[in-house]
Amino acid sequence: MIAANNVTLRLGKKALFEDVNIKFTEGNCYGLIGANGAGKSTFLKILSGKLETTNGDVTITPGQRLSVLEQDHFKYDAYPVMDVVIMGNERLYQIMKEKDAIYAKEDFTDEDGIRASELEGEFAEMDGWEAESNASMLLNGLGIDSSLHYSMMADLDGNAKVKVLLAKALFGNPDILLLDEPTNHLDLDAIAWLEDFLIDFENTVIVVSHDRYFLNKVCTHTADIDYGKIQLYAGNYDFWYESSQLLIRQMKEANRKKEEKIKELQEFISRFSANASKSKQATSRKRALEKIELDEIKPSSRKYPYIDFRPDREIGNEVLTVEGITKTINGEKVLDHVSFIVGHNDKIAFVGSNELAKTTLFKILMGELEPDEGTYKWGVTTSQAYFPKDNTEEFDNDYTIVDWLTGYSPVKDVTYVRGFLGRMLFAGEDGVKKVRVLSGGEKVRCLLSKMMISGANCLILDEPTNHLDMESITALNNGLIKFPGVELFSCHDHQFVQTTANRIMEILPDGSLIDKITTYDEYLANDELARKRTIYTAKIEEDEN
């Protein structure tokens, strides 16, 4: 069990948290939600002890081990992958290193023998002999190939490092698990594996995530941060949403009835206060009026952008034809004779673990890369808008937000441009901020403004939900559902893919393509059946042999 007791945190004059009291108990998974800037990550740092409170404290059941998903992807570059995962249980790792140091001594003494015996006993009690096997199971589940388990962290790409740090947090069955955006940079298979892991996990989990499907799948409770307070709800994200909306409706209805009562009492008092025979009744009603208090209903700190892609031109029947595209990157063939035809009603989600392949295909279709083989052709009625996965170059300049977007606008009018920025929550003085200093979420909203202002009828989006808060993801999701044009996109948000796509393409690790006209859930169900058939067939062949 971990609890915050009267926790207050002040940053300058601003109170980020004020007298927060909340208890997280064993056997439950808590989704910590709130708008960007509400303090979700900060609260996790308070719980982990990495951040001191202004007042109050955090208590943990004595003897329980707390594990945290770390965010520094380069911290362990000097260590082997296997060592990093086992570091998740700090004491076990210390024992392993001390044992190795003792056994490596040339002048092994009796004292060393006694110490080694003590360490071996503690090592066995902590299931140390199973440590590497357990670490490998975690790495395999998250999609880290066995050939990389003893590689150096420095040799892994960014996504693989994220998975190793997640395996480190999960290792050794911690009593309390704190996860800040654990699904970021995970492919859909790894997310599905993590969902199953957390559903079966019997201790305490507190997780911050912008993935609605993930929160609905794993959470037993929802802790909502709003205006420096944390309100606890029993149930997952959808239950929280319905409950919070119901609570607001009930408070508004209660206030409406109170206001009617106030009006009734005021009219009686005004009418009969001067009437001697009614004076006692008027006085009584004055007392009743003084006791009526309206419930304070604060508007939520959450803000939803307005995302509406409106194509300037209706798209024709010929949209995009791709024939035999092949591309090798750094000696790896990421696309192998990929061919498909896009129809004018298609909303295609590109899925699978091959992240580089999806990004490479999108860059080829936007003319940023040349294929080694093959061709593609856009229809004459099409116009494209592109959301790149890496937007570093886009914002490597000293333009203000208004000037930056004006450069892409067909109408060079500041009021017109500010209208698009206003929809994306850039109000007033925000327009003169330099794009170079924007946060990740602000840059994404700028890119979406650029796509809206373009009037394109074909949208290509490479992981657009990265860095967005829940409200912006919901707005983008709804905007793409309404969009009457063609969409090609990749995204790790299950609900986003399921509600938007009507066609699924999976680029396999060998660079080939699976193309199905279906919803994402139906695709996964068929894919799972295919996997089960493969496993079943392999088992029969093994039994026969």
Side-chain angles (χ1 to χ4, degrees):
M1 185 272 289
I2 183 170
N5 309 299
N6 297 313
V7 163
T8 296
L9 178 68
R10 295 187 179 278
L11 302 175
K13 294 182 179 180
K14 179 185 176 183
L16 191 59
F17 296 106
E18 192 80 51
D19 295 326
V20 169
N21 289 281
I22 189 169
K23 185 184 295 183
F24 304 97
T25 57
E26 186 177 345
N28 293 315
C29 179
Y30 298 85
L32 191 61
I33 64 172
N36 271 3
K40 300 183 294 294
S41 297
T42 301
F43 190 68
L44 286 188
K45 289 178 182 177
I46 291 172
L47 293 178
S48 68
K50 292 181 179 179
L51 191 62
E52 295 260 341
T53 62
T54 306
N55 291 305
D57 60 13
V58 172
T59 56
I60 297 176
T61 301
Q64 290 199 336
R65 184 168 70 86
L66 182 145
S67 183
V68 180
L69 174 58
E70 296 186 70
Q71 304 296 321
D72 185 351
H73 302 163
F74 305 100
K75 181 177 179 180
Y76 299 99
D77 276 1
Y79 295 90
V81 168
M82 185 60 66
D83 279 28
V84 174
V85 177
I86 297 175
M87 283 179 192
N89 189 331
E90 187 176 355
R91 178 55 189 158
L92 178 61
Y93 185 73
Q94 290 172 350
I95 292 171
M96 292 175 65
K97 293 293 121 180
E98 188 176 350
K99 279 202 314 160
D100 291 345
I102 291 174
Y103 291 139
K105 286 185 175 182
E106 294 183 3
D107 53 341
F108 192 86
T109 65
D110 290 342
E111 288 78 7
D112 288 332
I114 293 170
R115 179 57 180 162
S117 178
E118 292 172 350
L119 292 172
E120 291 289 5
E122 190 174 354
F123 185 72
E125 286 180 7
M126 300 179 73
D127 292 328
W129 297 111
E130 304 296 325
E132 292 195 10
S133 173
N134 292 336
S136 289
M137 287 175 61
L138 292 172
L139 291 168
N140 288 333
L142 289 166
I144 301 294
D145 191 82
S146 299
S147 63
L148 298 175
H149 291 188
Y150 293 90
S151 300
M152 298 300 292
M153 283 287 283
D155 296 331
L156 270 57
D157 64 28
N159 287 351
K161 287 180 180 180
V162 170
K163 292 179 178 181
V164 174
L165 291 180
L166 180 54
K168 175 180 179 289
L170 303 178
F171 178 76
N173 195 37
D175 299 291
I176 300 162
L177 186 55
L178 306 183
L179 301 174
D180 192 357
E181 297 293 354
T183 62
N184 276 4
H185 308 291
L186 293 189
D187 56 78
L188 292 164
D189 285 341
I191 292 173
W193 179 89
L194 179 60
E195 288 168 356
D196 291 338
F197 181 94
L198 294 179
I199 288 169
D200 293 335
F201 190 72
E202 296 180 350
N203 298 330
T204 305
V205 182
I206 306 170
V207 58
V208 171
S209 177
H210 291 143
D211 188 326
R212 297 159 293 173
Y213 182 89
F214 178 79
L215 291 176
N216 281 329
K217 194 93 180 276
V218 305
C219 291
T220 60
H221 295 72
T222 302
D224 178 34
I225 302 178
D226 214 350
Y227 290 104
K229 303 292 183 182
I230 302 181
Q231 179 71 39
L232 188 62
Y233 296 80
N236 61 16
Y237 177 81
D238 281 350
F239 184 85
W240 159 80
Y241 183 80
E242 294 298 329
S243 298
S244 60
Q245 295 303 304
L246 176 61
L247 181 62
I248 291 172
R249 287 196 298 270
Q250 288 175 335
M251 292 175 68
K252 286 182 177 178
E253 178 62 19
N255 275 356
R256 186 187 65 79
K257 291 180 178 179
K258 288 178 182 178
E259 287 169 348
E260 288 178 355
K261 186 65 175 177
I262 289 171
K263 184 178 179 181
E264 177 188 323
L265 292 172
Q266 286 175 336
E267 287 178 351
F268 186 92
I269 294 166
S270 175
R271 185 177 178 186
F272 296 110
S273 58
N275 188 320
S277 63
K278 298 279 189 178
S279 61
K280 286 186 177 182
Q281 294 179 40
T283 301
S284 174
R285 281 166 171 73
K286 282 182 182 178
R287 294 195 191 100
L289 181 61
E290 291 169 357
K291 292 178 181 179
I292 298 176
E293 293 184 6
L294 296 177
D295 294 321
E296 182 183 9
I297 304 176
K298 284 187 176 181
S300 173
S301 59
R302 291 174 171 82
K303 295 181 180 179
Y304 289 83
Y306 178 70
I307 299 178
D308 186 21
F309 301 103
R310 296 184 181 181
D312 293 335
R313 181 179 184 180
E314 187 176 345
I315 202 164
N317 289 326
E318 293 185 10
V319 180
L320 172 65
T321 301
V322 175
E323 293 184 354
I325 284 185
T326 298
K327 185 68 177 179
T328 297
I329 304 287
N330 297 327
E332 177 189 355
K333 185 176 284 188
V334 295
L335 298 172
D336 188 8
H337 292 91
V338 169
S339 299
F340 56 89
I341 296 174
V342 177
H344 68 280
N345 291 319
D346 281 344
K347 296 187 176 184
I348 305 172
F350 287 80
V351 303
S353 60
N354 200 337
E355 302 292 322
L356 179 58
K358 288 178 279 188
T359 296
T360 300
L361 177 61
F362 290 159
K363 285 185 175 182
I364 288 173
L365 296 180
M366 289 304 299
E368 294 186 4
L369 281 178
E370 288 292 327
D372 299 333
E373 299 177 37
T375 62
Y376 68 93
K377 182 180 179 181
W378 287 100
V380 294
T381 62
T382 65
S383 55
Q384 300 82 38
Y386 178 44
F387 182 102
K389 189 172 186 177
D390 182 2
N391 57 43
T392 306
E393 291 185 10
E394 184 74 65
F395 297 101
D396 187 19
N397 56 72
D398 291 318
Y399 288 127
T400 65
I401 297 177
V402 169
D403 290 341
W404 176 86
L405 187 58
T406 301
Y408 295 107
S409 174
V411 179
K412 306 300 181 184
D413 177 75
V414 172
T415 303
Y416 178 79
V417 171
R418 279 188 174 272
F420 282 88
L421 291 174
R423 296 177 193 175
M424 299 305 294
L425 308 181
F426 293 108
E429 295 301 312
D430 288 339
V432 298
K433 288 173 72 172
K434 295 292 181 69
V435 296
R436 189 189 297 277
V437 301
L438 297 179
S439 68
E442 288 173 326
K443 288 177 180 178
V444 170
R445 285 189 276 122
C446 278
L447 287 172
L448 294 174
S449 298
K450 173 186 170 185
M451 295 183 79
M452 284 194 291
I453 211 168
S454 73
N457 54 25
C458 294
L459 307 179
I460 298 180
L461 304 103
D462 194 358
E463 300 296 344
T465 61
N466 288 354
H467 305 294
L468 288 183
D469 59 20
M470 196 86 75
E471 293 70 42
S472 297
I473 291 173
T474 301
L476 176 58
N477 194 174
N478 292 336
L480 290 179
I481 291 170
K482 291 189 303 180
F483 179 61
V486 166
E487 299 165 15
L488 285 69
F489 69 94
S490 65
C491 181
H492 290 158
D493 186 308
H494 184 118
Q495 187 169 337
F496 192 98
V497 176
Q498 168 60 21
T499 55
T500 304
N502 56 23
R503 185 174 174 185
I504 305 296
M505 292 189 185
E506 179 175 1
I507 303 177
L508 300 176
D510 64 0
S512 60
L513 183 74
I514 296 175
D515 181 3
K516 299 286 185 183
I517 298 176
T518 182
T519 67
Y520 184 55
D521 281 346
E522 289 170 345
Y523 180 82
L524 287 180
N526 292 333
D527 187 45
E528 184 62 29
L529 286 173
R531 289 176 186 171
K532 287 178 179 178
R533 282 194 294 271
T534 302
I535 294 169
Y536 180 71
T537 303
K539 186 177 186 305
I540 290 175
E541 292 174 352
E542 182 181 337
D543 291 342
E544 288 176 348
N545 294 332

